[in-house]
């Protein structure tokens, strides 16, 4: 777990998949094994559970609680475990946040409410209401391609006034808006879009919440270290070496390809839940080629 206020959740976090068994039920033992594998490799400061890559829309509240408890039991003494609690219902998100706090989560990931597309005043009220409901630090999740609503700079500036809203996972990709937010707040920025890890770090991001981190966590740690050392030539070289991995993982939904890769490596992942569908043989063959080009052998 991190004690650095500049990076309240650490440097390298994986947006962890939720392992399922072949019949589609949640695999808690597999989740513990995967969490330990990621953390014991030495590069991961933390894990985000029940986020987008954790298939949270198709995981029940009871399953989310069981998953969080299992991961905390496995790695909670040596890694920051952040619970995804964002929904498009403020009351529901508060319930999930309070349950996560009771179970011992170290922080909360709260996505912008989706589908109902609230105005910015509603977005701000949602975030502050969830932050008011526990004593845990909060990472906001800005991903308008999924939610339909970006978090505007002025909203982030207002949200940053809350003592427990301390970070943003950015998958918006608006580097100008990010630069302004960094200039006007003390929010810690985490890259939530692996293809933009380097530029986000270069303008002041402190870490990554990564999908490809399941496969290349140590190299992401090297990337962050190079940026922090001011060695942009090395950082660019590492980033370029990771481009085939990013491309391969995101040819379709990232959770589909990452689960396929983990299964090929003999790690717990299992199938995805509908409406997602598992990788086809053709997609798996392409993934093998992409990852090999990025230095990852399945």
């Amino acid at each position: 777990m991190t004690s650095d206020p500049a990076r309240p959740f650490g440097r390298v976090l994986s947006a962890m998949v939720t392992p399922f068994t072949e019949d589609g039920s949640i695999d808690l033992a597999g989740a513990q094994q995967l969490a330990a594998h990621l953390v014991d490799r030495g590069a991961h400061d933390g894990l985000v559970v029940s986020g987008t890559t954790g298939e949270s829309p198709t995981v029940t509240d009871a399953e989310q609680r069981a998953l969080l408890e299992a991961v905390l039991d496995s790695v909670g003494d040596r890694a920051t475990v952040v619970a995804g609690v964002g929904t498009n219902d403020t009351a529901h998100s508060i319930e999930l946040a309070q349950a996560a706090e009771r179970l011992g989560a170290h922080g909360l990931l709260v996505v912008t409410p989706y589908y109902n597309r609230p105005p910015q005043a509603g977005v701000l009220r949602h975030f502050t209401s969830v932050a008011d409901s526990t004593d845990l630090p909060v990472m906001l999740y800005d991903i308008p391609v999924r939610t339909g609503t970006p978090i505007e700079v002025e909203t982030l500036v207002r949200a940053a006034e809350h003592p427990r809203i301390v970070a943003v996972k950015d998958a918006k990709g608006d580097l100008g808006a990010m630069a302004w937010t960094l200039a006007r707040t003390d929010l810690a920025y985490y890259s939530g879009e692996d293809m933009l890890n380097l530029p986000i770090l270069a303008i002041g991001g402190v870490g990554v919440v990564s999908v490809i981190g399941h496969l290349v966590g140590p190299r992401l740690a090297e990337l962050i270290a190079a940026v922090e050392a001011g060695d942009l030539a090395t950082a660019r070289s590492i980033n370029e070496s990771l481009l085939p991995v990013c491309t391969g993982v995101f040819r379709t939904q990232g959770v589909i390809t990452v689960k396929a890769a983990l299964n090929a490596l003999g790690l717990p992942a299992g199938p995805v839940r509908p409406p997602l569908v598992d990788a086809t043989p053709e997609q798996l063959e392409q993934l093998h080629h992409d990852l090999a080009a990025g230095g990852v052998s399945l």
Side-chain angles (χ1 to χ4, degrees):
M1 291 181 290
T2 181
S3 59
D4 183 353
R7 45 177 53 85
F9 302 101
R11 284 178 171 82
V12 178
L13 297 90
S14 271
M16 198 179 97
V17 303
T18 300
F20 300 124
T21 62
E22 289 306 314
D23 67 2
S25 59
I26 196 163
D27 181 4
L28 296 178
Q32 290 186 313
Q33 182 185 341
L34 179 60
H37 166 79
L38 293 172
V39 172
D40 292 344
R41 292 169 72 196
H44 285 81
D45 303 299
L47 302 170
V48 173
V49 297
S50 298
T52 304
T53 310
E55 298 177 74
S56 58
T58 55
V59 177
T60 69
D61 290 0
E63 287 175 326
Q64 287 191 30
R65 290 192 295 270
L67 175 67
L68 176 60
E69 189 170 26
V71 172
L72 285 165
D73 285 346
S74 179
V75 300
D77 59 342
R78 60 190 189 277
T80 300
V81 179
V82 180
V85 299
T87 73
N88 62 346
D89 174 358
T90 303
H92 186 196
S93 295
I94 287 171
E95 290 175 5
L96 294 177
Q98 291 174 337
E101 182 178 41
R102 288 193 297 270
L103 290 172
H106 304 131
L108 305 174
L109 178 73
V110 184
V111 72
T112 314
Y114 42 84
Y115 187 73
N116 38 21
R117 299 187 69 177
Q120 292 296 304
V123 171
L124 179 63
R125 181 178 293 181
H126 177 83
F127 288 148
T128 56
S129 295
V130 176
D132 282 340
S133 71
T134 80
D135 290 325
L136 295 176
V138 172
M139 178 188 292
L140 306 182
Y141 187 10
D142 193 3
I143 183 167
V145 70
R146 290 182 180 271
T147 66
T149 305
I151 312 175
E152 295 178 1
V153 172
E154 292 301 326
T155 303
L156 288 164
V157 171
R158 293 278 304 281
E161 296 171 0
H162 196 289
R164 286 184 292 281
I165 296 177
V166 297
V168 180
K169 176 186 175 185
D170 187 276
K172 182 167 57 183
D174 185 339
L175 297 178
M178 189 184 313
W180 269 115
T181 306
L182 286 165
R184 296 179 60 191
T185 74
D186 293 325
L187 290 169
Y189 259 81
Y190 288 80
S191 172
E193 187 169 345
D194 279 310
M195 192 63 84
L196 295 182
N197 285 340
L198 177 55
I200 288 174
L201 292 167
I203 67 168
V206 301
V208 299
V209 179
S210 173
V211 179
I212 68 169
H214 287 86
L215 308 173
V216 292
R219 290 161 68 186
L220 293 175
E222 292 171 3
L223 173 65
I224 295 168
V227 173
E228 291 182 340
D231 186 354
L232 290 184
T234 296
R236 284 195 295 269
S237 177
I238 296 168
N239 189 66
E240 288 173 8
S241 77
L242 291 171
L243 291 178
V245 180
C246 292
T247 295
V249 166
F250 294 107
R251 286 186 186 275
T252 183
Q253 291 282 14
V255 62
I256 294 173
T257 43
V258 164
K259 279 196 163 183
L262 292 172
N263 287 327
L265 291 168
L267 291 165
V272 295
R273 278 183 173 173
L276 297 182
V277 292
D278 292 319
T280 65
E282 294 77 16
Q283 287 173 325
L284 187 56
E285 182 179 2
Q286 180 65 58
L287 180 63
H288 276 261
H289 290 305
D290 290 329
L291 295 186
V296 178
S297 298
L298 298 183

